[in-house]
Amino acid sequence: MIDLSTDNRVAIEARCRTLGWLGTNETIKALAPAGEGNMNRTLRVTTDQRTLVLKQSVPFVAKYPQIAAPADRIVVENRFYDAVKNDGPLSMRMPARIGFDADNRLLALEHVGSAGDFLHLYDGGFSDVQGRGYFTGLVYWLWRLHAHQGVDVAAFENREMRALNHQHIFVIPLMPANGAAIAPGLEEAAARFAADEALSNIAAQLGDIYLGKASHKSRACLLHGDYYPGSWLHHDRLGVMVIDPEFAFFGPAEFDVGVMLAHLTFSGFSQQDLMGTLRSYVTPPGFDYNLAIRFAAIEIIRRLLGIAQLPLKANAEQRITWLNTARMMIG
Ligand SMILES: Nc1ncnc2c1ncn2[C@@H]1O[C@H](COP(=O)(O)OP(=O)(O)OP(=O)(O)O)[C@@H](O)[C@H]1O
Ligand SMILES: [Mg+2]
């Protein structure tokens, strides 16, 4: 398998040319990290004619090679691009796909935007009018996805990625002394949550729904699976684009909605803002608001007490307020 690293330009250029991803006279001028990702290898490739992104999955977490990870996650990501390619409103808000090289687990995408992702939301939120426009686009994209028909369900089992995420969302955050680098001042709250049996029981039920072991009332649909500001990119013309569907699966829409709501909470949205947001989301049949709120709550908890921490600016007091609110949301 080709090594997707900045010092392997000659081999990468040769492979891209063989695959028809580069024109005969097109040459690579520079290779650089595409962004701040953890899971995969991602490179920004500047040629003498344009810029593209190469993304490769390896059988471990690219940033932490000692941690194993499902090797075929890029295959699922590629399938997602396939599944939405004929749906204009969905595909127009994702980078154009240049190609997929199954042998090298390599996906080539158009490079979009120049201003990076939306993780800055945690440091100010959608405060300006333009920001609200971005947000409408994101909610519209999500309901279009959840309404998307004709999906090959078996192609989106994504078992191994779901098993990995299940541990990180529903199990590890509520384990005592779980080794997570939680913010100083949250120790007491972490211990209190770990000792809360009712909470653990509900987390286990939600985890079963996530894994498809327990049913949900809503019509199952294709989910993005990781719908948070790290998967949203600024785009000069469209405002916002969506990337990184490697956790996609066929399941409850409430999961994507809940995750989004959790991250809008971290971005400073008030309860009223959140309700306003949901008004522009057209729910799939049987959509259960309580389930979405519970998924939102567990996402809040796991981002504060689990391994996958966020670049939040909030102090301990604010974090404890969020945790207590999440506990109330769980019911
Ligand atoms: N098509 C693209 N255009 C521009 N930048 C991109 C594109 N795809 C990825 N990037 C940049 O590379 C970063 C990592 O990409 P991506 O999120 O797909 O990788 P990942 O390894 O799955 O990351 P994570 O570990 O956060 O899930 C993005 O945050 C973004 O900054
Ligand atoms: Mg990812």
Side-chain angles (χ1 to χ4, degrees):
M1 207 165 77
I2 197 166
D3 189 15
L4 193 71
S5 65
T6 48
D7 50 16
N8 198 20
R9 189 179 59 79
V10 174
I12 292 171
E13 184 172 285
R15 186 66 190 159
C16 288
R17 184 157 295 112
T18 305
L19 293 161
W21 295 353
L22 291 180
T24 352
N25 298 319
E26 191 176 5
T27 51
I28 295 179
K29 294 289 171 208
L31 292 176
E36 287 297 314
N38 293 322
M39 286 287 282
N40 303 284
R41 295 175 174 167
T42 51
L43 284 188
R44 188 177 68 222
V45 181
T46 311
T47 78
D48 48 355
Q49 295 168 29
R50 66 205 160 121
T51 310
L52 47 131
V53 168
L54 295 179
K55 178 167 179 177
Q56 181 180 52
S57 64
V58 280
F60 47 83
V61 176
K63 207 165 174 184
Y64 308 103
Q66 69 280 13
I67 306 176
D72 283 339
R73 55 195 183 272
I74 200 85
V75 176
V76 176
E77 182 159 347
N78 181 56
R79 279 187 198 140
F80 189 96
Y81 280 90
D82 260 338
V84 304
K85 71 177 179 219
N86 294 324
D87 185 317
L90 288 176
S91 58
M92 70 177 254
R93 246 183 226 290
M94 298 189 76
R97 182 180 48 172
I98 294 162
F100 182 61
D101 176 10
D103 292 344
N104 286 296
R105 296 204 185 90
L106 197 58
L107 181 67
L109 300 169
E110 158 204 23
H111 180 270
V112 297
S114 48
D117 61 32
F118 275 77
L119 291 175
H120 61 82
L121 287 179
Y122 306 130
D123 193 14
F126 285 95
S127 51
D128 56 15
V129 175
Q130 200 187 16
R132 302 217 170 243
Y134 295 156
F135 190 64
T136 309
L138 284 167
V139 175
Y140 178 72
W141 189 89
L142 197 63
W143 85 252
R144 285 295 305 218
L145 177 66
H146 294 165
H148 188 65
Q149 297 292 301
V151 177
D152 175 4
V153 178
F156 289 99
E157 272 284 313
N158 213 357
R159 275 280 144 220
E160 289 178 84
M161 286 294 268
R162 268 200 277 174
L164 176 73
N165 232 6
H166 175 263
Q167 285 297 308
H168 281 274
I169 300 173
F170 303 98
V171 181
I172 297 169
L174 298 177
M175 274 170 24
N178 62 13
I182 61 172
L186 296 195
E187 300 79 4
E188 185 277 328
R192 177 160 51 88
F193 276 57
D196 185 337
E197 268 184 45
L199 176 60
S200 292
N201 288 338
I202 295 170
Q205 287 166 22
L206 293 171
D208 282 351
I209 295 173
Y210 176 81
L211 289 175
K213 286 188 184 168
S215 61
H216 52 94
K217 286 181 274 176
S218 52
R219 184 178 70 197
C221 56
L222 180 59
L223 308 188
H224 178 277
D226 200 14
Y227 207 60
Y228 89 112
S231 299
W232 306 335
L233 289 189
H234 282 275
H235 186 262
D236 303 338
R237 192 165 40 82
L238 291 172
V240 58
M241 298 283 262
V242 178
I243 58 163
D244 200 13
E246 64 184 339
F247 282 101
F249 68 104
F250 200 76
E254 293 89 346
F255 178 74
D256 271 349
V257 171
V259 168
M260 178 179 71
L261 292 181
H263 290 268
L264 296 182
T265 303
F266 290 139
S267 306
F269 270 51
S270 67
Q271 206 62 28
Q272 204 180 355
D273 289 335
L274 292 180
M275 290 305 126
T277 305
L278 280 186
R279 243 180 275 133
S280 54
Y281 171 78
V282 180
T283 57
F287 187 87
D288 179 351
Y289 281 98
N290 284 328
L291 182 60
I293 301 250
R294 282 184 156 182
F295 277 130
I298 211 77
E299 175 71 7
I300 290 174
I301 295 168
R302 78 103 164 192
R303 292 296 190 169
L304 296 171
L305 301 182
I307 307 285
Q309 296 278 318
L310 298 168
L312 298 174
K313 296 286 185 293
N315 61 19
E317 194 187 347
Q318 172 66 75
R319 287 170 196 244
I320 290 168
T321 303
W322 280 330
L323 282 170
N324 290 337
T325 306
R327 183 63 189 89
M328 278 187 330
M329 286 157 70
I330 291 265

